[in-house]
Amino acid sequence: MDTADEGRQQLDAASVLNAKSTLLQLLARAGVYTGDAEELIGLVEAGALALAHTEISGLGRSAPAEQGEPYASGWSDGALAVTEELGALAERALVHAVTSGPSASAPDERSPVGRAEMERAKVAVTPLYLSFADVSDLDPEVTEQVLGAVLRTMNPRQRAGYPGRLSAFASAHQGHFERLYAEYGPGSAIAIHGRYSLVHSPTSVAVLERLAATPAELREEWDAAELPPAWLDGLTTAWGSPA
């Protein structure tokens, strides 16, 4: 059969559900809890809709000029309606993903940090850190404790978009990060143990972003987690020291 005769190739609902169920089964065999897997898949679905909305919004297509003003006006109104509905679908998908998973009950209220949220944070901070510094030798348990305090300053919806926020923060302060890790991080004269310990950890990227965005909330969660105040103070001092 010539696929050119079939028109556009699109997956039907049954095929999409089959692919999702297959992925859930494969992840379950790999030891991924079903609730975590569903949350991650939901975020991918919401992200696909959001990216489609962004792409369509930026196309800037216009109606054929020869059709006249009434046609162009209808074209514009129709395109706007479709674009707005796609954006609304993306928003609803995101809310569904962060409220139906195991880590949250409401998208705009703080909740305990779920395992998938913790793993997403690790995946986000590690490559950013390694773009500035060498591999960290800090205890992995410390990493989870610190990231837990960071993530508890946000609600589930904010945690879902945190990787993008981290990336933007690191890009905006690239020179500052390069100086920080060169002077205080791995390979420098500063020891891994002491008040500058966090500069030797990927979590430092996330902590610095929270210090810039929500310092009071971070310090509150930091104290609640009984993390060493000297770590936070040392990172703050190193970040603010002159180049």
Side-chain angles (χ1 to χ4, degrees):
M1 180 182 294
D2 186 356
T3 57
D5 297 333
E6 299 179 14
R8 288 183 177 177
Q9 300 301 298
Q10 296 180 336
L11 289 177
D12 56 70
S15 298
V16 172
L17 181 61
N18 172 268
K20 183 175 180 178
S21 298
T22 302
L23 181 56
L24 286 171
Q25 290 184 27
L26 291 173
L27 290 172
R29 292 173 195 170
V32 179
Y33 173 58
T34 299
D36 289 335
E38 289 178 338
E39 183 176 349
L40 290 170
I41 292 172
L43 289 175
V44 172
E45 292 172 340
L49 289 169
L51 291 173
H53 173 255
T54 299
E55 183 174 347
I56 290 176
S57 299
L59 287 177
R61 291 179 179 174
S62 58
E66 65 273 11
Q67 296 296 330
E69 179 59 31
Y71 184 92
S73 178
W75 173 294
S76 178
D77 290 344
L80 180 61
V82 170
T83 301
E84 289 180 346
E85 180 57 26
L86 184 55
L89 282 172
E91 174 68 11
R92 291 198 293 271
L94 174 58
V95 171
H96 178 73
V98 298
T99 55
S100 61
S103 60
S105 57
D108 297 312
E109 297 178 5
R110 294 188 196 178
S111 62
V113 177
R115 183 171 62 176
E117 291 175 323
M118 179 65 70
E119 292 304 316
R120 293 205 310 269
K122 290 178 183 177
V123 170
V125 299
T126 300
L128 290 174
Y129 174 81
L130 292 178
S131 69
F132 300 115
D134 295 328
V135 176
S136 169
D137 291 325
L138 203 63
D139 186 346
E141 184 177 346
V142 171
T143 295
E144 294 211 354
Q145 291 171 345
V146 172
L147 285 180
V150 165
L151 292 171
R152 282 191 296 273
T153 67
M154 294 173 272
N155 60 48
R157 196 199 302 253
Q158 291 168 331
R159 293 171 193 167
Y162 192 49
R165 182 165 187 152
L166 273 178
S167 180
F169 181 78
S171 178
H173 299 279
Q174 181 175 346
H176 206 154
F177 272 110
E178 290 173 348
R179 192 274 308 166
L180 174 74
Y181 293 119
E183 294 186 9
Y184 294 90
S188 70
I190 304 298
I192 190 173
H193 299 295
R195 71 194 307 262
Y196 297 112
S197 293
L198 282 189
V199 191
H200 292 255
S201 168
T203 62
S204 54
V205 181
V207 173
L208 286 167
E209 189 281 330
R210 290 289 87 188
L211 280 172
T214 58
E217 289 86 347
L218 178 62
R219 291 185 182 277
E220 178 184 340
E221 295 297 342
W222 198 270
D223 292 340
E226 299 183 345
L227 289 163
W231 287 1
L232 203 56
D233 294 338
L235 184 60
T236 302
T237 299
W239 182 254
S241 64

